[in-house]
């Protein structure tokens, strides 16, 4: 990823400690998993900045899957909101189809889970 928040930024955003795949590797080169809950959902976020990887699994409190997405072409992650009332990130996704088109995915975790996917021109 060209641009990715630091490990501590994600810990603050998700309000949980990450689980690293390799404890000896730095955040940039490792796969990190963040598992947390809201009033209505359980979330599992996996991030591997060096490999442009991001996945999100959302389940209800009875463990029924509501949403799952796995991306291997995330070029940038931005934290849009990180406060008590609102938690949200923005993913920039390179589709490789047309260098002038970018996919942007906004993920809102709080107050209520929401996904917004936009295709925008990069010109």
């Amino acid at each position: 990823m060209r641009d990715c928040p630091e490990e501590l930024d994600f810990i603050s955003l998700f309000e949980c400690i990450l689980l690293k795949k390799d404890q000896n590797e730095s955040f940039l080169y490792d796969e990190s998993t963040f598992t947390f809950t809201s009033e209505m959902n359980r979330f599992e976020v996996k991030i591997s900045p060096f490999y442009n990887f991001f996945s999100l699994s959302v389940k209800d409190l009875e463990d029924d899957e509501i949403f799952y997405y796995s991306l291997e072409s995330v070029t940038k992650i931005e934290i849009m909101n990180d406060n008590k009332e609102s938690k949200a990130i923005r993913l920039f996704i390179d589709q490789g189809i047309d260098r002038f088109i970018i996919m942007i995915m906004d993920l809102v975790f709080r107050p209520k889970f929401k996904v917004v996917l936009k295709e925008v021109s990069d010109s």
Side-chain angles (χ1 to χ4, degrees), residues 38-100:
S38 69
E39 292 178 13
M40 298 170 34
N41 303 106
R42 294 183 208 283
F43 300 92
E44 182 180 81
V45 174
K46 292 185 180 182
I47 301 169
S48 182
F50 182 76
Y51 295 102
N52 299 331
F53 177 78
F54 181 94
S55 73
L56 172 64
S57 173
V58 182
K59 297 180 179 183
D60 64 19
L61 298 179
E62 286 84 38
D63 262 356
D64 293 323
E65 193 162 61
I66 297 169
F67 180 85
Y68 176 78
Y69 219 98
S70 179
L71 301 164
E72 296 182 6
S73 57
V74 177
T75 58
K76 182 178 180 180
I77 299 176
E78 290 180 352
I79 295 176
M80 295 169 41
N81 292 316
D82 183 8
N83 57 59
K84 203 167 185 88
E85 295 79 33
S86 178
K87 303 273 186 182
I89 62 175
R90 175 171 285 161
L91 307 177
F92 294 81
I93 305 156
D94 178 10
Q95 292 294 309
I97 300 166
D98 184 337
R99 62 184 177 158
F100 301 112

